[in-house]
Amino acid sequence: PEYIALNQDGTRGQPAGREVYAQQCFSNPAVQEQMLADWKSRGKPKRFNLCVNDSAYLCRCVNCRAWDADLPGEEFLLHKTDRMLRFYNVMCEKAIRLRPDVEVCVYAYLDYRFAPRCEKVAYPDHLVVGFVPSIYDDFVAVVDGWKAAGLRRFVIRPNYLCYNGFVPRGYER
């Protein structure tokens, strides 16, 4: 259970009565080591997929919260990029020791798609960020913000058809 995100009610696991994917406790070294062990068991392929579960139920433990860069009075889920980038940096460092040419592939999605406020990209030649923008985002500003934090490599994985239940004109193709 300590691998799974701590919920707002102090329990770990899938929130009661909710059918959502559980997130991990990314600051937990045992979680990090398990992810590395899983990658190694697959033969340490060049691309190390660290794309996390699609869920807004991020861990609220003290260690994960210490990685956040929340502004005073800000809602918990408004900006979690610094936490996720810290996790990505930790995992890049560990993976590079095992395979120097590794490409750690991650998402910038939901509440962690905007540019980090404090954290910097520690391994820009090894981190590949897949942006999942909203049609409401100023995507150029988002990418520029990430570039200012040191990002060099990224791809775009649009999710336009899943926002607000409509098909925007012009995106049909």
Side-chain angles (χ1 to χ4, degrees):
E2 65 276 3
Y3 281 24
I4 307 300
L6 183 70
N7 293 314
Q8 189 170 5
D9 65 5
T11 62
R12 291 189 182 269
Q14 184 173 333
R18 303 294 302 252
E19 291 190 26
V20 297
Y21 297 110
Q23 287 288 16
Q24 294 81 26
C25 177
F26 298 117
S27 67
N28 183 338
V31 169
Q32 299 162 11
E33 292 306 316
Q34 183 63 60
M35 290 177 168
L36 282 169
D38 292 346
W39 175 61
K40 287 192 289 188
S41 75
R42 292 188 301 275
K44 294 185 293 189
K46 183 172 182 172
R47 290 183 181 84
F48 184 5
N49 180 359
L50 282 182
C51 297
V52 301
N53 287 338
D54 188 359
S55 174
Y57 289 92
L58 294 176
C59 189
R60 293 173 182 257
C61 80
V62 173
N63 294 331
C64 283
R65 294 298 307 263
W67 288 3
D68 292 338
D70 296 342
L71 299 176
E74 187 172 72
E75 290 181 34
F76 175 72
L77 286 175
L78 191 62
H79 191 283
K80 293 298 172 228
T81 306
D82 289 83
R83 162 196 302 222
M84 297 306 292
L85 182 52
R86 175 86 177 263
F87 167 65
Y88 301 156
N89 283 336
V90 165
M91 295 303 290
C92 276
E93 180 179 358
K94 292 173 184 278
I96 290 167
R97 285 189 210 135
L98 299 170
R99 181 170 179 154
D101 67 339
V102 68
E103 294 177 353
V104 177
C105 303
V106 303
Y107 280 143
Y109 185 44
L110 295 172
D111 45 6
Y112 52 95
R113 70 186 184 276
F114 298 112
R117 293 174 174 159
C118 300
E119 194 77 20
K120 302 294 182 195
V121 176
Y123 301 94
D125 294 327
H126 298 276
L127 185 68
V128 181
V129 175
F131 286 102
V132 186
S134 159
I135 61 172
Y136 303 111
D137 294 339
D138 179 348
F139 186 63
V140 172
V142 170
V143 171
D144 286 347
W146 273 87
K147 285 181 177 179
L151 183 69
R152 291 188 196 150
R153 304 175 70 200
F154 68 92
V155 297
I156 301 171
R157 203 224 75 192
N159 201 26
Y160 298 139
L161 301 180
C162 295
Y163 285 93
N164 295 327
F166 65 90
V167 178
R169 284 185 68 185
Y171 290 109
E172 298 87 2
R173 295 180 190 192

